[in-house]
Amino acid sequence: MLSSKFRFFQLSLSLSSSSPKPPKNAIFPQIVAIRARIRSQMGSPAYTTSSRLLFRQLFEKDSSTYTYLLADTSHPDKPALLVDPVDKTVDRDISLVKELGLKLVYAINTHVHADHVTGSGLLKSKVPGVKSIISKASNAKADLFVEPGDKIVFGDLFLEVRATPGHTVGCVTYVTGDGPNQPQPRMAFTGDTLLIRGCGRTDFQGGSSEQLYKSVHSQIFSLPKDTLIYPAHDYKGFSVSTVGEEMQYNPRLTKDEETFKNIMANLNLSYPKMIDIAVPANMVCGLQDVESKAL
């Protein structure tokens, strides 16, 4: 029986095999540039991404969760993935995928969420062929497990996996690829590790303020300053930031490590109201009955 990791790379390769691979330095003259303007409510300028990337930022109001839809529209199959889907908005997300003529192949989580139930299990039950993905370090169930340095390939685009523990032991950040025909500027889906002008709490699920500080500074702040930051949540009405903005204005992570640890130790946050429901469900891909039998 093949390991999950081997099946992951096999599946990635099969998605791209339907069209011939151009040489490394090939130019794509048939691609028509489409300028995708994404404005931050914080006054950031508009940005342009790769013409082949379809990108949508979706929102679930009860948990203030962002779900992200990405697809390679220049690939014959138009393969797509959802980052941090929510169970309550699965039907909305499926409808959008169908309307846009995409083929959903992956449902990805940045970590085991404590404030909502992931939509991965429902997506798998409603859309044939969808594979769930989570980090190996999370110890949760999924079809495929990723580790630092892995690439999640969809068409001719990919997400790079970066380990960013601290909010939970299994947190990862997914970053769009660095190379020809990959989105520019790059985009980082940071989960709860780095929020806009904030960060995730570190007082449960194996959290560590020391780890989170190191994760952000080594794995996220090391990215180009124009890299777009897309978190899993926002509670103040912001939709996007950049690495440069957070390096300059984040009220917690601009401090030295000891000051940061002191801030996190004195947040005095209330017990998460959904944690006793969400965490057990999310450990088995969001559907305890369905996923425990299928995986």
Side-chain angles (χ1 to χ4, degrees), residues 8 41 44 97 113 115 128 150 152 162 194 197 209-211 213 217 222 226 246 252 279:
F8 164 65
Q41 296 178 36
S44 297
V97 167
H113 301 275
D115 50 12
D150 286 348
I152 300 174
R162 295 192 171 208
L194 178 62
R197 307 301 193 263
S209 57
E210 180 179 353
Q211 272 196 322
Y213 189 89
H217 282 264
S222 60
D226 64 349
E246 296 308 312
R252 298 178 184 176
V279 170

Side-chain angles (χ1 to χ4, degrees), residues 31-47:
I31 296 177
V32 179
I34 302 172
R35 301 184 69 83
R37 296 189 173 273
I38 309 170
R39 291 193 178 274
S40 168
Q41 296 178 36
M42 304 177 75
S44 297
Y47 293 92

Side-chain angles (χ1 to χ4, degrees), residues 277-293:
I277 297 172
V279 170
N282 291 336
M283 288 298 291
V284 288
C285 208
L287 285 180
Q288 290 177 317
D289 292 335
V290 174
E291 288 302 301
S292 60
K293 294 175 182 177

